[in-house]
Amino acid sequence: MESDLTFRELVENPDYPDNENILRQFIRFSYNLHENGIEFLDHSPGNTLIKKDEEGNYQFFLVDLNRMNFYQK
């Protein structure tokens, strides 16, 4: 999969275009994971790929999925 950037690039460059918006959308993404009983345990900066869609929203893709917990809600 081709991504536009990784989370590492975003946090290492605070002047990255649309930085605050991307971070806010990432927080929503992470919150939704937790609300759905998914705990991703390896949020190292290279394990989140970010892609901007045609509407200008950002999609987040997690890699290195071997460290996760799942809970029933």
Side-chain angles (χ1 to χ4, degrees):
M1 165 187 167
E2 286 189 39
S3 63
D4 296 321
L5 71 150
T6 66
F7 196 76
R8 173 176 282 116
E9 295 167 85
L10 186 66
V11 296
E12 288 179 354
N13 180 4
D15 295 325
Y16 190 89
D18 213 16
N19 186 295
E20 183 176 339
N21 183 32
I22 299 170
L23 288 173
R24 288 180 183 276
Q25 288 187 38
F26 176 74
I27 291 167
R28 256 182 262 133
F29 168 76
S30 297
Y31 175 81
N32 286 332
L33 284 177
H34 286 270
E35 285 296 298
N36 285 289
I38 301 168
E39 182 182 15
F40 184 58
L41 300 172
D42 194 1
H43 268 298
S44 59
N47 285 347
T48 302
L49 307 177
I50 304 169
K51 186 164 184 68
K52 189 173 185 178
D53 66 21
E54 294 168 0
E55 290 84 37
N57 296 309
Y58 294 91
Q59 298 178 349
F60 303 93
F61 301 89
L62 303 175
V63 297
D64 202 8
L65 302 177
N66 61 322
R67 294 178 51 207
M68 298 177 76
N69 289 325
F70 299 91
Y71 304 95
Q72 277 191 324
K73 287 274 183 172

